[in-house]
Amino acid sequence: MSTELPRKRDVPEEARRRAEFLRRELARHGRLYYVLDAPEIADDEYDALFAELRSLEERYPGLDSPDSPTKRVGGRPGERFEKVVLSVPMLSLDNALDMEGLDAFLQRTLHQGSEGYVCELKIDGLAVSLLYEDGVFVRGTTRGDGRIGEDVTANLRAIRSLPLRLSGDAGGRIEVRGEVLLERRQFAELNEEREELGEPLFANPRNAAAGSLRQLDPSVTAKRKLSIYLYSVVDPRSLGLSSQKDILLWLGSAGLPVQSAWEFCPDGPSVKAFVEQWREKRFTLPYATDGVVVKINDTEQWSGLGNTSHAPRWAVAFKYPPEEKITRLTDIIVSVGRTGAMTPVAVLEPVVISGSTVRRASLHNEDELRRKGIRIGDMVRVRKAGEIIPEVLGPVPGKRTGREREFMMPDRCPVCGTPAVRLEGEVALRCPNRASCPAQLREGLRHFASRGGMDIRGMGDKIVAQLIGKGLVRSLSDVYRLKRSDLETLERMGPKSAQNLVDAVEQSKDRPFAALLAALGIRFVGARGAEILAAAFRDVPGLLAASEGSLSAVEGIGPVMAASIRSFLDSGENRKLLGELSELGIRGALPASPEEEPVPDESSTLLAGMRIVFTGELDSMTRTEAEALAKAHGAACSSSVSGKTSLVVAGREAGSKLSKANALGVRVVNEEEFLEMIRSGRTS
């Protein structure tokens, strides 16, 4: 029998058409996943398409093409950040989609004389490379396309668990790599907030981590509460490290976060035991994992085994299959959120998925419910998106009995009875009774008191529910009318706890205008939007007087947000609320005093023709406020340093932008020197 491989003309036309289709689909989904952070399909579906294409190309070498996704390391980098050529390419890992695939890897590497493996849980996050010089963190980049990444140094600095200086003896240049992630609780909270605002949901924690890390404003990244775990050193021999086990131990000793779920496994059976041990146990972790990375322990063998065009031969990623269960959907209820969004929620017969019992799952909106064809009484397929968010995939039509019934969204708010409305261009129904709907008030008060808003310590969910339930708070302004005697009537609230909460309410009165704007829950206005508004309009009177056109003209606002802000400000109830907050002495609701911040002459051309970059943490103002001040004096502001940059204003912990400015000979001043330029009217 001939063993000659099929030549190009021997490829069946059906296989050629299928391969072309798979390449187009994988390229499209790769762009959605890596560039736009908006995937349409789950990871396991993408993996199946990829595996099918690779199988076809291996079977028919005549299908080989340099533009095939199987030849690529990853998607191309986005366009918003400076590009960085990675010192060593960040390769992908081949997947083992079942135990047979894992067996094949183990057999192949055992034949190469492997003397053990290290198993680590595969984190569902965004790969990054970090550079330390003489122990100090100087630059961080994303994986990008595996060879060219994006400089996200400022955003990585916002991750609290990442040390800016290594522990111990860490001289010279050290490059380490790892994964940025969003833990389960933060992922769920972020998606709840986005659903309330009518924004598209993140499909999984990796997608959320990517969207959070690739923000132009590091303060937004900081509010997302990202985490990071490190797992490799680019040049381990320079540190005297000869095994993956040594690498992980060194990373931990240097003060870098390393996940505890790893183990040295001397042979194949112990690798399989680790995989089985964590199949269910992984759901007890605070972060999502979708598999196990198995690496040959001895780094000397890595170079001997080498790499393919896209992946090392000394490692493999075993992927757990997504867990999907069938249960009965017993009812559909409607929840009302902070912005009045009325959301259908599936009530399910309890079912254990990914380590926890699922009883309810959001159906998002009526259109989504209709698209999936879900009826009350259906047996439905359920899984957790990203192994975190319960998701109803659809009904099982073959199990229908004929007793199932269609669900219709109510035409009134189920909580307060107000007729529901659907705003132009929106899918969701909303309750417009923002002023007195108990559901909106409860969610609104939670948001108002949150750390990103008025930061009222001690006013948690249970306290909020009691304040609304007992009628002590019927408007957000009522918070500032609470007395200790009122609070002592609440469950588990003694005199000391009541006084602490009264004190916290009093302290919150001093929160600035931007914090109040964020706390009010204006649709589409988050922390970043609130800072932009505060910098542009300074106080409540200035904002009330702003037209929709002047709002949308502010960089970072735009027409959709402007219309939402103007709609909020035109409400008589909201104007009444702002007036009451002003009368109650809330600093953010009061007119700004002239000495509160420098007020530039609108006709000032002091900085005309200059291109200014702000970097690091400023003490007297936010970066948004600093940029607004510079622009008011005629400057243009940029997020990156180049030969065209005129001035860099460096705050505390300034990083790569400061280094680049020094390398290019760009003038650098500190915050006080910049403000003195404004005050004196002299730029030299």
Side-chain angles (χ1 to χ4, degrees), residues 198-213:
E199 298 174 354
L201 303 186
F202 287 119
N204 51 51
R206 187 267 166 205
N207 181 228
S212 301
L213 189 63

Side-chain angles (χ1 to χ4, degrees), residues 129-360:
S129 186
L130 314 177
L131 179 62
Y132 286 82
E133 292 183 352
D134 292 330
V136 177
F137 175 56
V138 295
R139 191 180 69 200
T141 58
T142 65
R143 177 173 173 270
D145 68 357
R147 291 175 172 80
I148 299 176
E150 299 167 316
D151 188 332
V152 289
T153 305
N155 290 357
L156 285 165
R157 288 178 181 275
I159 300 175
R160 294 296 181 92
S161 59
L162 178 67
L164 300 181
R165 180 181 290 275
L166 298 179
S167 305
D169 183 13
R173 184 183 178 95
I174 298 173
E175 190 171 354
V176 297
R177 290 174 175 176
E179 205 86 3
V180 171
L181 64 145
L182 202 62
E183 294 192 348
R184 296 176 188 272
R185 188 177 69 178
Q186 280 73 37
F187 175 66
E189 290 175 353
L190 180 58
N191 262 354
E192 286 174 8
E193 180 181 339
R194 291 175 73 85
E195 185 166 51
E196 269 297 303
L197 293 173
E199 298 174 354
L201 303 186
F202 287 119
N204 51 51
R206 187 267 166 205
N207 181 228
S212 301
L213 189 63
R214 298 171 72 238
Q215 292 283 333
L216 294 180
D217 181 1
S219 68
V220 177
T221 303
K223 290 180 173 66
R224 297 280 176 87
K225 300 177 183 176
L226 293 170
S227 302
I228 188 170
Y229 289 111
L230 286 304
Y231 50 68
S232 77
V233 175
V234 169
D235 183 12
R237 282 185 292 184
S238 67
L239 297 171
L241 306 174
S242 59
S243 70
Q244 178 63 16
K245 179 180 177 180
D246 290 344
I247 287 171
L248 293 174
L249 292 173
W250 181 87
L251 289 168
S253 70
L256 291 160
V258 176
Q259 64 166 333
S260 59
W262 70 270
E263 187 177 311
F264 170 73
C265 298
D267 51 29
S270 58
V271 169
K272 294 179 183 178
F274 181 92
V275 168
E276 291 305 321
Q277 173 192 352
W278 284 98
R279 189 179 293 273
E280 296 297 328
K281 187 178 175 182
R282 62 198 169 105
F283 299 124
T284 64
L285 296 171
Y287 51 88
T289 65
D290 58 0
V292 175
V293 176
V294 183
K295 302 175 184 175
I296 291 177
N297 184 46
D298 187 350
T299 57
E300 289 295 322
Q301 294 184 357
W302 294 1
S303 56
L305 286 166
N307 308 314
T308 67
S309 62
H310 68 279
R313 291 190 175 94
W314 44 265
V316 73
F318 174 83
K319 301 288 284 287
Y320 292 112
E323 190 174 18
E324 185 178 302
K325 296 285 184 71
I326 294 177
T327 189
R328 189 174 300 281
L329 188 154
T330 61
D331 198 4
I332 296 176
I333 61 175
V334 175
S335 71
V336 181
R338 172 172 57 85
T339 63
M342 293 167 52
T343 304
V345 177
V347 180
L348 306 167
E349 286 185 354
V351 59
V352 177
I353 305 176
S354 299
S356 65
T357 301
V358 174
R359 293 181 172 83
R360 295 189 178 188

Side-chain angles (χ1 to χ4, degrees), residues 254-558:
L256 291 160
V258 176
Q259 64 166 333
S260 59
W262 70 270
E263 187 177 311
F264 170 73
C265 298
D267 51 29
S270 58
V271 169
K272 294 179 183 178
F274 181 92
V275 168
E276 291 305 321
Q277 173 192 352
W278 284 98
R279 189 179 293 273
E280 296 297 328
K281 187 178 175 182
R282 62 198 169 105
F283 299 124
T284 64
L285 296 171
Y287 51 88
T289 65
D290 58 0
V292 175
V293 176
V294 183
K295 302 175 184 175
I296 291 177
N297 184 46
D298 187 350
T299 57
E300 289 295 322
Q301 294 184 357
W302 294 1
S303 56
L305 286 166
N307 308 314
T308 67
S309 62
H310 68 279
R313 291 190 175 94
W314 44 265
V316 73
F318 174 83
K319 301 288 284 287
Y320 292 112
E323 190 174 18
E324 185 178 302
K325 296 285 184 71
I326 294 177
T327 189
R328 189 174 300 281
L329 188 154
T330 61
D331 198 4
I332 296 176
I333 61 175
V334 175
S335 71
V336 181
R338 172 172 57 85
T339 63
M342 293 167 52
T343 304
V345 177
V347 180
L348 306 167
E349 286 185 354
V351 59
V352 177
I353 305 176
S354 299
S356 65
T357 301
V358 174
R359 293 181 172 83
R360 295 189 178 188
S362 172
L363 295 170
H364 304 306
N365 56 61
E366 189 173 14
D367 284 4
E368 179 76 358
L369 192 153
R370 299 278 172 260
R371 185 182 68 79
K372 292 181 176 179
I374 296 169
R375 302 174 187 172
I376 297 173
D378 266 334
M379 297 299 291
V380 293
R381 294 180 296 113
V382 183
R383 74 174 181 184
K384 287 186 178 177
E387 296 182 345
I388 296 174
I389 307 296
E391 174 184 27
V392 177
L393 298 174
V396 184
K399 291 184 176 289
R400 281 180 172 159
T401 64
R403 293 193 294 271
E404 297 79 14
R405 64 187 191 277
E406 297 277 350
F407 170 78
M408 300 297 294
M409 284 290 288
D411 58 4
R412 291 179 175 272
C413 172
V415 179
C416 69
T418 301
V421 299
R422 179 178 277 114
L423 302 180
E424 185 178 352
E426 291 194 356
V427 174
L429 281 170
R430 293 185 182 274
C431 169
N433 181 17
R434 187 177 178 83
S436 57
C437 176
Q440 291 186 66
L441 182 56
R442 182 176 61 251
E443 295 302 313
L445 181 53
R446 284 178 56 198
H447 179 78
F448 186 80
S450 68
R451 184 166 297 183
M454 298 305 286
D455 194 18
I456 304 176
R457 304 298 174 91
M459 191 170 284
D461 293 353
K462 292 181 179 178
I463 299 297
V464 165
Q466 290 188 71
L467 290 172
I468 304 296
K470 289 180 174 289
L472 293 172
V473 173
R474 292 186 171 87
S475 166
L476 295 178
S477 60
D478 286 340
V479 169
Y480 295 98
R481 300 185 180 96
L482 290 170
K483 301 181 178 63
R484 195 178 84 170
S485 56
D486 296 326
L487 297 174
E488 287 177 352
T489 66
L490 305 182
E491 293 177 16
R492 299 184 180 180
M493 182 69 78
K496 184 175 181 180
S497 299
Q499 186 58 53
N500 288 341
L501 186 50
V502 167
D503 292 342
V505 169
E506 186 64 27
Q507 290 170 9
S508 76
K509 288 183 175 182
D510 199 40
R511 295 280 282 166
F513 181 38
L516 175 62
L517 287 175
L520 289 172
I522 304 170
R523 194 156 178 246
F524 302 123
V525 178
R528 167 69 168 163
E531 286 191 350
I532 292 172
L533 288 171
F537 299 102
R538 301 192 66 233
D539 56 18
V540 168
L543 188 59
L544 286 171
S547 67
E548 187 172 325
S550 63
L551 285 164
S552 62
V554 175
E555 185 177 354
I557 299 298

Side-chain angles (χ1 to χ4, degrees), residues 53-94:
L53 177 59
R54 176 174 289 173
S55 176
L56 279 171
E57 291 177 345
E58 288 174 351
R59 185 177 179 185
Y60 301 108
L63 288 175
D64 187 65
S65 172
D67 65 350
S68 173
T70 61
K71 300 292 192 294
R72 293 171 62 88
V73 175
R76 64 183 177 87
E79 299 297 327
R80 300 180 297 168
F81 296 91
E82 287 186 27
K83 305 299 187 296
V84 178
V85 178
L86 299 170
S87 61
V88 175
M90 295 179 73
L91 301 178
S92 305
L93 290 176
D94 278 333

Side-chain angles (χ1 to χ4, degrees), residues 568-582:
F568 179 91
L569 296 174
D570 287 341
S571 162
E573 287 292 335
N574 292 332
R575 284 178 173 263
K576 178 184 176 186
L577 170 63
L578 291 170
E580 290 174 347
L581 292 174
S582 177

